[in-house]
Amino acid sequence: MTEVRNVAVLVGNGLSIAFNPALNLRAITTEMVERMKAASDEGDDVVTAMKEIAERALPAGVTSEDDFEVLVGAFGAENRTMGYLERLAALTQPQDDELQAAIQLVANFAARVRDTGLSHVLQVIFENSHAYADDAEHLHSFVTAVTSSFDGRVSLSNLNYDTLLLSAVLTVCNMAEVADLADGRTKVSIVDGDGDTVARVPLLRETRHDFSPKHRVLLLHLHGSITYWAGQEGTVYAKLSRDHLEDLEQWQAVRDGTTGLRPVVVLANQRDKSAHVQEFPFSLAYEMFVDSLATSNHWLIVGYSFRDEPVNAKLQAEFNDRAREEKPRVLVVTHGDDLAVHVVERAFGWGKEDGSSVDWLTVVRTGANGVENTAEWAEFIA
């Protein structure tokens, strides 16, 4: 009997940009900044102060102009720092209620600033989470090529918050064989301020055992999604539909502080990101991502810059696992010449002393749009 072939797919922002240019980091950051300015009488000063705080932690010469993760993530870091200070104050000056109240006040302010920036970022992404007719057709062709070229499990690990890939998967695949982190078997009610139920939404899966063997196509949002939300206490996690997000006006509600729900995404600097991904539900997505790498001899990496340390650590660990009889076949799809081969090799722990990587690594530089029609693709799936 011929053994089924699995494929592990890692998707970065480059895939979203290929099918909707409005989802590039600079465009999102620019739009977020403009919306924050418009929302405040002192908009320019507020944004300037945010940038100064964010750039304080950046290397010399680097700015936050092009990266909303740097700008908004800085306030997640500030909030965590305030939490550490609060614990320190409780230990060293437990009787000083005024000090602890002041620290909590600053922590709450940092959290509000982060919520404001985060809600604007995710709203921009939400509004642009679509591909126009021609681009959608090309994205569907790409997803069809991936899911039909491998008869085993197809694991799509997505670093984007948008729903472009989700929409394409649901369009071209058999619904019965598709699963993301949402578990349709269990649902929770969302209630308004009067206690009335306004929606019933699926909870997120809690363990790997909540995925069925019949789920051949997995969509794993490693860093969360615009559709993943949780209560502020962090005990209930659920998936909202696009209709819910529109009808419930969730983005504005977060900014106004009129909802107890918060979006579930990893939006942090690189230092804090490693801690975030160890928390649920990202920990489950990463567990399934690692499993996909371990059980696949074909790794497809699309639109990823190889700058995410937690992701690179998993790639390197599985690539160099001594239990693996041979190196996986790796196809990296990028656009242009910015991504150097040595950067890719280094992410896998492959150095000059290891010789040429040509036996296991292929890099396509024409982008995701139409990659399934290239000779490199034909060789990859052979």
Side-chain angles (χ1 to χ4, degrees):
M1 179 181 294
T2 303
E3 186 176 353
V4 298
R5 299 193 310 163
N6 302 329
V7 61
V9 186
L10 176 64
V11 173
N13 185 241
L15 181 87
S16 295
I17 295 172
F19 300 105
N20 188 338
L23 288 170
N24 75 75
L25 292 179
R26 184 174 181 83
I28 295 171
T29 306
T30 299
E31 181 62 23
M32 179 207 77
V33 168
E34 290 304 313
R35 293 188 184 194
M36 291 193 68
K37 287 180 179 178
S40 171
D41 293 336
E42 297 81 23
D44 286 330
D45 292 337
V46 169
V47 171
T48 297
M50 285 184 66
K51 288 181 177 179
E52 289 175 351
I53 291 173
E55 290 169 10
R56 181 181 50 132
L58 292 175
V62 179
T63 73
S64 59
E65 292 290 339
D66 297 338
D67 195 340
F68 61 80
E69 190 173 77
V70 172
L71 190 55
V72 179
F75 289 88
E78 295 293 334
N79 195 36
R80 290 169 75 92
T81 299
M82 289 300 109
Y84 299 145
L85 282 178
E86 186 176 17
R87 284 159 49 191
L88 181 61
L91 290 170
T92 60
Q93 300 187 52
Q95 307 304 319
D96 195 336
D97 295 336
E98 186 175 338
L99 173 61
Q100 294 183 43
I103 294 173
Q104 186 61 55
L105 183 66
V106 175
N108 290 343
F109 174 73
R112 289 201 306 273
V113 174
R114 180 184 183 276
D115 282 349
T116 299
L118 179 61
S119 64
H120 279 300
V121 166
L122 296 182
Q123 185 172 7
V124 172
I125 294 173
F126 173 76
E127 292 171 358
N128 288 284
S129 283
H130 59 80
Y132 296 102
D134 289 345
D135 290 332
E137 183 178 343
H138 294 151
L139 177 57
H140 295 166
S141 176
F142 168 76
V143 173
T144 298
V146 174
T147 56
S148 64
S149 296
F150 298 88
D151 54 357
R153 175 162 276 183
V154 177
S155 300
L156 302 157
S157 297
N158 192 4
L159 292 169
N160 303 306
Y161 309 132
D162 63 63
T163 56
L164 278 185
L165 188 56
L166 171 64
S167 176
V169 168
L170 294 180
T171 299
V172 306
C173 295
N174 178 351
M175 286 283 290
E177 66 177 7
V178 175
D180 62 3
L181 288 192
D183 191 342
R185 300 169 300 176
T186 54
K187 294 191 175 184
V188 65
S189 296
I190 296 178
V191 298
D192 61 19
D194 297 323
D196 298 323
T197 298
V198 295
R200 290 276 295 168
V201 297
L203 292 170
L204 298 190
R205 304 176 197 275
E206 295 183 352
T207 74
R208 62 183 299 136
H209 303 296
D210 292 327
F211 292 91
S212 167
K214 72 177 182 179
H215 292 143
R216 191 181 76 87
V217 180
L218 301 185
L219 179 56
L220 308 168
H221 282 92
L222 297 185
H223 293 167
S225 165
I226 54 175
T227 61
Y228 294 173
W229 290 70
Q232 280 184 303
E233 66 281 1
T235 57
V236 178
Y237 296 81
K239 179 181 178 181
L240 278 63
S241 70
R242 288 187 61 88
D243 289 342
H244 291 142
L245 293 174
E246 289 176 342
D247 295 344
L248 301 179
E249 299 181 344
Q250 280 300 117
W251 313 114
Q252 188 62 48
V254 170
R255 292 192 286 273
D256 293 342
T258 57
T259 178
L261 301 180
R262 288 296 181 275
V264 179
V265 296
V266 175
L267 204 165
N269 59 41
Q270 287 295 332
R271 184 178 62 253
D272 290 338
K273 189 174 289 185
S274 295
H276 279 291
V277 300
Q278 296 179 44
E279 301 170 356
F280 181 83
F282 318 112
S283 55
L284 175 58
Y286 265 78
E287 180 183 357
M288 299 300 292
F289 169 52
V290 169
D291 182 70
S292 75
L293 297 174
T295 57
S296 302
N297 288 322
H298 292 75
W299 295 4
L300 173 62
I301 302 175
V302 184
Y304 174 53
S305 64
F306 289 89
R307 290 199 296 260
D308 199 306
E309 290 304 322
V311 173
N312 289 351
K314 301 303 183 185
L315 290 173
Q316 186 170 144
E318 290 305 317
F319 183 80
N320 294 292
D321 187 350
R322 293 182 179 180
R324 184 179 288 275
E325 295 182 1
E326 60 182 38
K327 298 299 185 187
R329 184 178 299 181
V330 181
L331 178 63
V332 174
V333 181
T334 187
H335 188 272
D337 298 326
D338 289 345
L339 181 62
V341 171
H342 73 84
V343 171
V344 179
E345 292 173 338
R346 187 168 62 240
F348 288 97
W350 188 271
K352 287 184 178 180
E353 67 279 7
D354 296 308
S356 173
S357 59
V358 68
D359 289 339
W360 59 269
L361 174 64
T362 301
V363 180
V364 175
R365 298 189 179 278
T366 53
N369 196 337
V371 67
E372 70 276 11
N373 301 317
T374 64
E376 291 88 351
W377 175 263
E379 182 180 355
F380 176 68
I381 67 175

